[in-house]
Amino acid sequence: MTNIRSIIQDMRSRSSRVVQDRFPAGPPPSSSAAAAAAVGVEDGLDQSCWANMPQELLREVLVKIEASESAWPLRKNVVACAGVCRSWRHITKEIVKIPELSGILTFPISVKQPGPRDSLLQCFIKRYRSTQTYYLYLSSTNGPAIAEDGKFLLAAQKCRRPTCTDYIICLHADEMSKGSSSYIGKLRSNFLGTKFTIFDGQPPHAGAKITKSRSTRMVNSKQISPRVPAGNYSVAHISYELNVLGSRGPRRMQCTVDAIPSSAIEPGGVAPTQMDFSLGNVDFFPSMPFLRSKSHHMDTFSSGPLASQKDGVLVLKNKAPRWHEQLQCWCLNFHGRVTVASVKNFQLVASPENGPAGPEHEKIILQFGKVGRDLFTMDFRYPISAFQAFAICLSSFDTKIA
């Protein structure tokens, strides 16, 4: 294992030397030039000695690395292996399974892929009131215990507008805006804060249609691929219903996920899975060529267009709490993951829209709850992704007249 890590460090140093040769002095290169440099770095690494390792030996080594370093921060070595060269990248991508099968978030694209089928993936959200920002982390430990350290996944910035409120969601906390190359989507509320729409920055499934707006932009990178749209694709709608008990009673919410068919929760059901970032994010990862594909066709998704589904879309509703006579409050069983009573706490299950409820409608797909003044847990599972779950939870932070 030590030898492999030394190989990775050697490849990183080679990458640095190539970039210095291409940009020896002067102002920093433009984003397109940086992307082109990344291609040059990759070409140089493909001709190195490490790229010529026997395929059988390389696969055996990478399989051992993937199996032994299954948690963060050691998981970063698996990501580094994918960035060595083309041969390493292809084999690593074959070995590393999507979160649905492995239950592990490895590459940045993992936040756009459905979570595990058999268990809830445990995360937590930190709220920063002064800057109106929210950070999503992957929990470092499994179980009811709440750990305040973890792997950073996503960041959101609250932006108030005259008629609505936007939550801009990005892959990086230092550059949060719709025009940023780290932008992946947003949550938008109506004026009252009772209805929300989740927008994806790239098509959530084959055949998805863009929602036209003034903020829709085009990414043009001639060195990589023709123009690809990177705008607003509506993927879900959230509504909060009027609560006649006011702040004393639980809030009722419903989430209609337009990008996922209702059959996805059934045994053998399939949800669309994004396999690559669009070119809008390429410049954000110039040193990680494994995040982009040379073509942006329908093979970006592991399933067909949602329009081909004969049934409806997935509808989530909050699980009804029960009134606890001794505690004199509404209660839900979070199995130790929530410790502070709050109107924001909720559990979402699939709603049986087209027939009687089955066992699949009892499984909790997303749960969110308070554990500190500005600390919240977020646990989710298939068929929604970390990005979709994060956006749904952000809606609970917004002020509701309901």
Side-chain angles (χ1 to χ4, degrees):
M1 191 64 64
T2 304
N3 292 334
I4 293 298
R5 288 173 181 168
S6 65
I7 292 174
I8 296 171
Q9 293 176 356
D10 179 61
M11 301 310 295
R12 285 175 175 169
S13 64
R14 288 170 180 262
S15 301
S16 300
R17 287 197 297 270
V18 173
V19 173
Q20 290 174 0
D21 290 341
R22 286 178 171 263
F23 301 101
S30 63
S31 57
S32 59
V39 176
V41 170
E42 183 181 9
D43 291 340
L45 297 179
D46 283 334
Q47 300 174 6
S48 68
C49 58
W50 306 123
N52 297 322
M53 288 181 63
Q55 294 292 304
E56 296 78 7
L57 175 61
L58 177 59
R59 179 178 294 274
E60 182 179 352
V61 170
L62 293 179
V63 166
K64 290 182 178 180
I65 294 176
E66 201 278 336
S68 63
E69 304 191 351
S70 59
W72 292 91
L74 294 178
R75 194 71 178 170
K76 65 183 180 181
N77 292 318
V78 178
V79 178
C81 288
V84 170
C85 60
R86 285 191 181 92
S87 59
W88 286 52
R89 177 172 73 252
H90 293 329
I91 296 178
T92 304
K93 291 180 69 175
E94 290 177 5
I95 295 172
V96 176
K97 304 301 181 183
I98 57 177
E100 173 190 350
L101 303 176
S102 65
I104 304 173
L105 303 181
T106 303
F107 302 129
I109 191 61
S110 299
V111 300
K112 303 291 286 292
Q113 298 173 337
R117 285 183 179 266
D118 300 329
S119 62
L120 290 168
L121 195 60
Q122 296 182 349
C123 307
F124 63 91
I125 298 174
K126 285 186 177 181
R127 174 177 59 183
Y128 296 89
R129 297 172 183 262
S130 60
T131 57
Q132 294 189 320
T133 55
Y134 305 81
Y135 293 173
L136 174 66
Y137 296 86
L138 179 67
S139 296
S140 58
T141 58
N142 291 326
I146 308 301
E148 293 193 32
D149 59 334
K151 166 62 178 174
F152 173 83
L153 296 177
L154 293 169
Q157 173 74 61
K158 184 177 181 179
C159 303
R160 292 188 181 274
R161 308 189 188 283
T163 59
C164 64
T165 300
D166 283 349
Y167 290 82
I168 305 299
I169 304 175
C170 297
L171 291 164
H172 201 280
D174 293 339
E175 190 179 359
M176 288 188 286
S177 68
K178 180 67 169 62
S180 167
S181 55
S182 68
Y183 168 83
I184 63 170
K186 69 178 180 181
L187 172 75
R188 168 165 290 185
S189 75
N190 64 354
F191 178 74
L192 299 178
T194 57
K195 297 184 183 296
F196 298 80
T197 303
I198 301 175
F199 293 97
D200 198 326
Q202 69 181 61
H205 54 81
K209 294 184 178 180
I210 194 170
T211 301
K212 294 183 179 180
S213 69
R214 290 180 299 176
S215 60
T216 300
R217 60 196 174 94
M218 298 295 292
V219 179
N220 185 10
S221 182
K222 296 181 180 179
Q223 292 84 354
I224 309 297
S225 175
R227 293 164 65 88
V228 175
N232 294 327
Y233 294 86
S234 175
V235 295
H237 299 272
I238 308 165
S239 62
Y240 288 82
E241 299 180 14
L242 179 64
N243 180 11
V244 295
L245 297 177
S247 60
R248 293 177 55 246
R251 293 189 295 199
R252 297 179 59 187
M253 64 183 296
Q254 177 175 295
C255 179
T256 303
V257 189
D258 303 320
I260 302 176
S262 59
S263 60
I265 64 170
E266 300 173 359
V270 177
T273 303
Q274 298 183 26
M275 303 306 293
D276 288 291
F277 278 117
S278 64
L279 295 178
N281 304 98
V282 169
D283 295 341
F284 185 65
F285 303 103
S287 62
M288 298 184 182
F290 63 90
L291 289 176
R292 64 174 184 268
S293 62
K294 290 197 172 183
S295 62
H296 196 79
H297 303 293
M298 290 303 101
D299 57 358
T300 303
F301 309 95
S302 65
S303 61
L306 188 63
S308 64
Q309 301 293 337
K310 295 182 179 180
D311 53 357
V313 298
L314 178 66
V315 178
L316 304 176
K317 64 177 182 179
N318 59 323
K319 191 174 182 179
R322 61 180 179 86
W323 178 256
H324 199 290
E325 288 294 340
Q326 294 180 340
L327 298 177
Q328 289 293 296
C329 66
W330 297 95
C331 295
L332 285 169
N333 186 6
F334 287 91
H335 301 283
R337 290 285 292 164
V338 177
T339 58
V340 180
S342 173
V343 71
K344 295 180 175 64
N345 302 346
F346 66 80
Q347 291 177 325
L348 294 185
V349 296
S351 176
E353 295 294 305
N354 301 322
E360 63 272 11
H361 297 98
E362 297 297 324
K363 290 183 178 180
I364 296 173
I365 294 178
L366 171 63
Q367 69 177 18
F368 171 77
K370 192 172 185 178
V371 293
R373 184 173 184 268
D374 294 302
L375 185 64
F376 304 80
T377 56
M378 186 198 88
D379 305 334
F380 72 99
R381 71 189 306 156
Y382 193 90
I384 65 174
S385 65
F387 160 70
Q388 294 165 342
F390 186 39
I392 295 173
C393 292
L394 287 173
S395 70
S396 188
F397 287 106
D398 213 56
T399 302
K400 310 291 187 306
I401 293 181

